[in-house]
């Protein structure tokens, strides 16, 4: 993801076509960047924030209406707080330099939180992850996948089970692709296999990213994370959330205030009526630790995340 040197376009890797095709999309207006976010050319909470920051810089370079650009970008997806966070950071200085710095800072936060998260792994850890919280989702390195990479580098990771993550298969297409590139042993599983594999003792920990973490630690992430958290609690397996501080929403007291995106039912089926909530909220009580660039935060999160 980048803003072209001459500022003519924001260039995004089209994540919808991975891993089969590596194709870039050029966006020449904020409205095109917003469309790319909505249609998930680019997805993942930190990544859509960075894309929006580049969209704001592009708007300023073009001399277009900045307030209108902010509105269209902010409305593109509702759940990840990184989107309004990044737009707010661009307000004082809507320049390419600011957007590129924000991008670099986000990747640096990933590296720092991955190092903290690696402390939660023991030699031989068998992890399970959901959705894609890798470099694709964060502008580089990754949050949950960053933690897996850091653990693997320290020789602590035996293998990763990757939920396929219905309906858009971010796990089966993107996380598996990233783990393959990193040389980390992994196996894709049907989402519904997680409980049975936990019962068989094949999972030591669950690690995910986040789209928005409320002040009390309630965490919105890809639909299915809540189910995993309930299963993990039943099997006394820790679930860890790894996310940068740009994903913390201190203005929202708890998960009931987090907007949950409803996506096109056609992503599930076009043959029957369908319902397609894209995210769910995992109550803080089911999360063993939240790892940010500042360290490993334990409950009660209202205190430890302050
Ligand atoms: O709908 P998506 O693919 O944008 O959902 C992404 C997730 O839920 C990720 O787990 C989350 O954004 C964390 S990315 C570091």
């Amino acid at each position: 993801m980048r803003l072209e040197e001459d500022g003519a376009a924001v260039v995004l890797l089209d994540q919808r076509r991975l891993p089969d095709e590596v194709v870039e999309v050029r966006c020449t207006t904020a409205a095109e960047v917003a469309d790319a976010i909505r249609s998930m050319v680019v997805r993942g909470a930190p990544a859509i924030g960075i894309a929006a920051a580049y969209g704001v810089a592009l708007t300023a370079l073009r001399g277009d209406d900045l307030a209108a650009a902010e509105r269209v970008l902010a409305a593109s997806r509702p759940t990840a707080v990184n989107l309004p966070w990044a737009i707010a950071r661009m307000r004082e200085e809507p320049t390419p330099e600011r957007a590129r710095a924000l991008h670099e800072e986000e990747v640096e936060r990933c590296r720092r939180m991955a190092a903290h998260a690696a402390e939660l792994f023991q030699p031989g850890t068998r992890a399970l992850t959901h959705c894609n919280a890798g470099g694709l989702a964060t502008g580089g390195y990754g949050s949950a996948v960053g933690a897996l990479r850091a653990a693997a580098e320290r020789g602590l990771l035996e293998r990763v089970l990757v939920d396929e993550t219905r309906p858009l298969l971010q796990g089966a297409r993107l996380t598996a692709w990233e783990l393959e590139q990193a040389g980390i042993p992994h196996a894709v599983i049907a989402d519904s296999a997680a409980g049975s594999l936990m019962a068989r003792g094949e999972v030591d920990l669950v690690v995910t990213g986040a789209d928005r973490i409320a002040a009390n630690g309630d965490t919105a992430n890809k639909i299915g994370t809540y189910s995993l958290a309930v299963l993990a609690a039943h099997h006394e397996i820790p679930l860890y959330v790894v996310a940068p501080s740009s994903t913390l929403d201190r203005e929202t007291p708890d998960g009931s205030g987090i907007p949950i995106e409803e996506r096109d039912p056609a992503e599930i089926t076009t043959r029957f009526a369908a319902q397609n909530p894209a995210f769910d909220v995992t109550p803080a009580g089911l999360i063993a630790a939240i790892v940010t660039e500042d360290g490993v935060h334990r409950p009660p999160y209202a205190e430890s995340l302050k």
Side-chain angles (χ1 to χ4, degrees), residues 126-134 143-146 148 159-165 171-172 175-176 179 186-189 191 194 203 205-209 221 225 228 240:
R126 297 154 309 159
L128 187 152
T129 192
H130 189 64
C131 195
N132 171 261
S143 53
V145 173
L148 295 168
R159 59 126 176 81
V160 183
L161 293 176
V162 182
D163 270 0
E164 59 178 353
T165 316
T175 302
L179 293 174
H186 60 277
V188 177
I189 59 169
D191 297 331
V203 179
L205 62 82
V206 178
V207 61
T208 73
N221 192 49
T225 306
L228 272 183
Y240 301 122

Side-chain angles (χ1 to χ4, degrees), residues 122-125 149-158:
Q122 307 294 324
T125 294
R149 288 169 65 164
E153 278 163 21
R154 290 159 176 71
L156 301 173
L157 188 60
E158 187 175 309

Side-chain angles (χ1 to χ4, degrees), residues 13-189:
L13 180 59
D14 191 342
Q15 298 192 31
R16 299 168 305 182
R17 294 169 74 170
L18 291 172
D20 297 331
E21 293 173 281
V22 179
V23 178
E24 288 182 334
V25 171
R26 275 183 90 245
C27 305
T28 57
T29 63
E32 287 180 11
V33 175
D35 270 344
I37 294 172
R38 191 176 306 110
S39 63
M40 294 173 68
V41 168
V42 59
R43 34 67 50 206
I48 63 177
I50 296 163
Y54 283 132
V56 170
L58 178 72
T59 305
L61 288 171
R62 287 171 53 93
D64 289 347
D65 183 339
L66 274 167
E70 282 190 12
R71 275 196 301 276
V72 72
L73 287 164
S76 57
R77 292 191 79 189
T79 301
V81 78
N82 305 66
L83 197 52
W85 177 91
I87 292 168
R89 277 185 179 54
M90 290 297 291
R91 204 160 286 146
E92 270 181 23
E93 191 201 319
T95 63
E97 294 72 28
R98 183 72 198 96
R100 290 190 182 107
L102 188 143
H103 187 169
E104 276 172 32
E105 288 159 16
E106 207 63 316
V107 177
E108 180 53 30
R109 277 191 276 272
C110 281
R111 290 188 182 280
R112 283 170 54 197
M113 62 194 167
H116 293 304
E119 293 166 19
L120 300 167
F121 289 67
Q122 307 294 324
T125 294
R126 297 154 309 159
L128 187 152
T129 192
H130 189 64
C131 195
N132 171 261
L136 290 164
T138 58
Y141 201 72
S143 53
V145 173
L148 295 168
R149 288 169 65 164
E153 278 163 21
R154 290 159 176 71
L156 301 173
L157 188 60
E158 187 175 309
R159 59 126 176 81
V160 183
L161 293 176
V162 182
D163 270 0
E164 59 178 353
T165 316
R166 291 276 304 153
L168 296 180
L169 304 180
Q170 289 93 330
R173 296 186 301 106
L174 308 177
T175 302
W177 189 62
E178 291 186 333
L179 293 174
E180 180 183 74
Q181 286 177 340
I184 296 175
H186 60 277
V188 177
I189 59 169

